[in-house]
Structures are given as structure tokens and as C-alpha cells.
Amino acid sequence: MKGSVEQGETSKAPLSSGISKGVAILDVILRFVAFIGTLASAIAMGTTKQTLSFFTQFIQFKAQYSDLPTLMFFVVANSIVCAYLILSLPLSIVHIIRSRAKYSRLILIFFDAAMLALVTAGASAAAAIVYLAHKGNVRANWLAICQQFDSFCERISGSLIGSFVAMVLLLLLIILSAIALARR
Amino acid sequence: MSAATVIHVDDGASASAGKAPATLSSYDTGRATAAAPIPTTQTQREAPGSGVPFLLRSGGDGLQGCMGLIDFVLRVAAFGPTLAAAISIGTSDEKLSIFTNFFQFHATFDDFPAFTFFMVVNAIAAGYLVLSLPFSAAGIIRPKATGVRLLLLVCDTIMVGLLTAAAAAAAAIVYVAHEGNLRANWVPICMQFHGFCQRTSGAVVASFLAVLVLMVLIVMAACTIRSRRRR
């Protein structure tokens, strides 16, 4: 009975360790792609600047990301998540090599959840402001500034994409880590 | 002889119900091996029914039971803020007593798409939290249910993402309503619509509280999965 149990274990062991290694490699790849996404978003939003060629006494026709505090929060949140992702990349590379990590996966899940909340908050707050800039609001009498600031609007709309992609990837990362924990 | 072993079995079962299996095998020193299955089945029949010995069990089992109970309680605690936020935004309706030719001084959540999204997502989150209560209870009653806990963790993570998105979008709109924006020439409407602003601000705060509780639930579920698996 012992021999057959051992045989069963050794015949299952390469497959299960292969799946574990696959999960860990996927973890590293997704983390890297999310890092690229947040970096691109932060840079695209941070370098927005548009000055219109006419001006009056009352209104200045110049737009930057720092004029809207929500977009500033977006840049800061994306920078923090970007830094976290690049710092956690070595940890997940270690998980490929040494699958018997006890506490590090748990710590990774904890910080991944915190970073998911942060990047989601930044991305969706910026999305609300971008929507407001595109459509305006009739009741509150808020004008749609995209009518005048074309390239500024395009830039801030495009930079949201990278952030949302990073949010979905962080979600997948948490689920992957949980599955890896459950299989151990 | 058999009466003596029955008395021992009863004493052992009533005195230390949680630690029964180990101590009963020391009582039956080797004479009545037929009596040994009976005490274990008695304690197995007793264990699911008695709530107190379950939590007071020694070692890891008591901690798992505690964490399962905390999980259940936190779920109920997170349901309150989400429901309150959804209702509060849904019933926010303010009409000012002044009107001109051009502007209508009437604000509802319908006028702001971000608030509509916020209300819908909070309603979904409240419904999800209620529906996940039986699964959480199943996780307490059956200690070996890793699949249920994994499912709850996945769904909790998705809910955290959705709820944070809705709360952040509503917070952005509330911030603009409070402060306005000089460059974009957006007037802070909270100067006129006091009640509307207070309601929506309170709803956003409640929603963020629920997000915090959900994040604690995720980490606790991960801890539980890890320690269940290691045994």
C-alpha cells in the first residue's frame, strides 16, 4: 500500500509542480505588464499641457493635469502602484524558484489588494472627471471643456486605458495568488 | 463491566467535549476496543450541535472557528453601509425655492451619471453581501471547505474593485461640487444645494468604509485558506 501511494505521489508530482511553476510565471508576466500600464498612464497624464492661442481678461486658456486635483491624484496613485509593482517583481520571481513560500504569498496578496483599491480609485475618479470634461453637466451648469481643449482631452482620455488594464491585471494577480495558496 | 465503560464514556464526553477523542482513547486502555468507535461517533454527533466547545477547541481549530465567525460578522457589518449609501443617494432630491428663465434649481442623482453608477454598484454590493452569508456560514460549519473560501475570495476581490470604482467616481464628482474648478469654470454647486451635497458626501464615506471591510475580509480569507491547506 505504501509503494502504490508513493508511486501515485511521484506520478502526480511533476504535473502539479508544473502547474505551480506555470502559475508563478504567469504571475511575473502579468505583474510586468501591469507595471508597464501604470507607468504609461502616469507619464501620459503627467505630460499634458495645452495652451490655446487666444486669451481674454477673465479666463486663462491653459490646461494642465495639475489644474484638476483629481487628475493629480490619478498621477500620484499610478506612480505609487508602478513603484510597488516593480518592487514586488523580484518577490514573485522568487516564487517561481521556491514554491514553498509560507508568508510571502500572504503579504503579496495583502499589498496587491491595497494597490488594487488605490489604482481603481485613481482610475475611476479620473474617468468621472474626464466624462465631465467631455459631456459637461446641464443641471450644475458645468461646461464641457473638451470643446476647446482638444489634445488635452484626448491625452487624458487615452491615459485612462493603461490604468484600467493594470486594474484588471491586479485583480487576476490576486486570484492567481489565492489559487496558488489553495493548491499548496 | 460494560456499565463501567459506559459511565466513563459519558463522563469523558460531558466534561471535555472538545478534546474528547484524545482523552477517551486513554480511558479505554486496551480492554474494550469495541467501545472505542462508540465514543468517537458520540463526540462526532455532539460536535456540530454544540457551539461553545467548537470555539474553545484547543489549537488551530478554535482560531479557525473564530476567524470564520469574524468573517460572518464583518459581512453583516459591510452590508449596512452599502445599503445605506444606495438608499441615501437614491432618495437625494433637492429643489430650491428660486428659479430663473435659464436654470432649473433641481438636483437628483439622475443628473449625474457617476451617482447613478454609484447607486447601482452599491445595490449590487449589498445584494452580494447578503447572498454570500450562507457561503460564509458553510465555511464555518465545514472546516475543510477550501473551495467555498476560494470562491468567496474571488467574488470579494471583484466586489472590492467595483465598489472602489463607484465610490471614487462619486467622490470625484462630490469634490468638484464642493470646491468647483477655476480653470474649467465649474461652479461649486454645494453653495446652493446643501442637503444634496451632505447626503452624497455621507453616502461616499459609507461606501469607502464598506470597501475597507471587504479588504479585511479578503486578507482573512487568504489567511484561512493558507492555514487550512497546511494541515
Side-chain angles (χ1 to χ4, degrees), chain A residues 73 112-122 170, chain B residues 160-161 164-165 168 208 211 215:
Chain A
F73 171 63
D112 274 348
M115 291 301 146
L116 173 73
L118 190 61
V119 83
T120 314
L170 264 177
Chain B
V160 160
T164 314
F208 273 120
V211 164
M215 276 172 52

Side-chain angles (χ1 to χ4, degrees), chain B residues 86-138:
Chain B
I87 290 181
S88 168
I89 283 249
T91 56
S92 66
D93 189 336
E94 187 165 357
K95 275 202 185 80
L96 295 186
S97 50
I98 41 177
F99 41 87
T100 73
N101 270 340
F102 307 111
F103 305 143
Q104 292 164 308
F105 292 107
H106 176 210
T108 60
F109 72 94
D110 263 342
D111 302 324
F112 302 91
F115 288 158
T116 316
F117 176 58
F118 177 78
M119 192 189 72
V120 166
V121 167
N122 269 279
I124 290 176
Y128 160 74
L129 283 168
V130 164
L131 284 177
S132 69
L133 282 177
F135 290 93
S136 180

Side-chain angles (χ1 to χ4, degrees), chain A residues 97-116:
Chain A
I97 305 168
R98 203 162 59 122
S99 324
R100 300 236 167 246
K102 291 179 194 178
Y103 289 104
S104 59
R105 271 199 205 275
L106 207 53
I107 292 179
L108 215 57
I109 285 187
F110 171 66
F111 279 111
D112 274 348
M115 291 301 146
L116 173 73

Side-chain angles (χ1 to χ4, degrees), chain B residues 143-215:
Chain B
K144 297 230 190 283
T146 319
V148 168
R149 291 212 181 271
L150 193 61
L151 178 70
L152 277 184
L153 190 141
V154 169
C155 291
D156 275 347
T157 315
I158 296 175
M159 268 305 141
V160 160
L162 262 181
L163 205 56
T164 314
I173 299 290
V174 162
Y175 180 80
V176 173
H178 271 281
E179 307 275 326
N181 193 292
L182 208 54
R183 295 280 185 174
N185 211 22
W186 290 338
V187 177
I189 66 168
C190 273
M191 303 289 179
Q192 286 116 24
F193 294 98
H194 287 300
F196 183 71
C197 261
Q198 271 180 6
R199 265 226 180 165
T200 49
S201 315
V204 165
V205 168
S207 196
F208 273 120
L209 278 178
V211 164
L212 209 62
V213 170
L214 270 178
M215 276 172 52

